[in-house]
Structures are given as C-alpha cells and as structure tokens.
Amino acid sequence: MTEFFFWLFMLATALLIPGSMLLLGRSFAKKPPGEINGGYGYRTARSMRNRQTWEFAHAYSGRFWVRAGRPTLAVSLVWMALLFGRDIGTVGRLGTVLTVIQLVPFLAVIPATERALRREFDDFGRKRE
C-alpha cells in the first residue's frame, strides 16, 4: 500500500512541470502580465525593454511551452505508468530522472525566446524592419 501512495505522490510531482508549462503557456500566449515587472512572467533584460518586447516574449514563450508541454506530459504519463507497481527506490530514482529530463524543455524556452527577441528587435527594443 505504501508503494502505491508513493507512486501517486511521484505521479503528481511528475505532472507539475508539464502542467505548469501548459497552464502558464496558454496564459502567457493569450495575455502577458499587465505591467512590465520583475516578479511575474518571462523576465529578462531584453524582454523588459518596452511593452512591445514584453508582449512578444510572453507570446513566444507561451507558444513554446504549449508546444513542448504536450509531448512532455505524454512522456511523463507513459513513464509513470511503466513505474506502477515497482518498489519505492525504483520509483524514486526513475521519477527523479524524469524530472531532470522534464527540465530540458522547461528551461529551453529561455535561449529560444532570447534568440527570437534578438531576431525581431534591435538592441534598443525597436522592431526590426
């Protein structure tokens, strides 16, 4: 019984990253946070230069997370289904490996969005022609 509850805990934990990617991605793609701020949203120096870069960065990163979140969620569900019924040590180790793998698309949004910002805007935040 303990193994089952631990597996449920690990399943819930494994769904946090892809779930966050999908929920925040949809939110950011639709509407960025109201004001440019350093506390919430996609926050880098390049994205916070002006309103236009702020909105572009949120729309781009939101779409990226939604596109990357779907396969990440699918892989996570299959991975955890394969771990069902295993001992606590195996579920814990392989669940940790899954979390590290999930961090790749979760963090890949940063270089991808920064490249897109560089491609779309000059060093002063003005849209390139």
Side-chain angles (χ1 to χ4, degrees):
M1 192 63 152
T2 305
E3 286 88 4
F4 175 71
F5 286 123
F6 185 72
W7 180 83
L8 276 178
F9 167 76
M10 289 301 291
L11 175 65
T13 304
L15 298 179
L16 286 175
I17 291 175
S20 297
M21 290 170 69
L22 290 170
L23 292 174
L24 288 174
R26 285 190 184 121
S27 172
F28 287 171
K30 287 181 183 176
K31 183 176 180 251
E35 295 181 19
I36 298 174
N37 66 75
Y40 175 71
Y42 183 86
R43 305 171 311 274
T44 62
R46 189 178 298 274
S47 71
M48 294 174 26
R49 289 209 171 122
N50 58 44
R51 187 74 190 166
Q52 197 174 16
T53 58
W54 179 253
E55 289 175 359
F56 176 86
H58 279 83
Y60 187 89
S61 63
R63 286 190 310 270
F64 184 98
W65 265 358
V66 169
R67 283 193 310 264
R70 287 182 186 130
T72 304
L73 178 63
V75 167
S76 300
L77 288 171
V78 170
W79 186 296
M80 290 307 295
L82 293 173
L83 292 179
F84 184 76
R86 302 279 182 102
D87 64 286
I88 290 176
T90 302
V91 172
R93 280 190 302 280
L94 293 177
T96 302
V97 169
L98 174 61
T99 302
V100 171
I101 292 169
Q102 289 174 339
L103 286 175
V104 172
F106 184 76
L107 296 175
V109 71
I110 298 167
T113 304
E114 290 303 304
R115 270 195 311 276
L117 281 165
R118 255 185 264 118
R119 195 172 46 245
E120 293 290 321
F121 298 95
D122 64 15
D123 290 336
F124 302 104
R126 294 182 301 242
K127 187 106 169 121
R128 292 191 193 272
E129 298 296 321

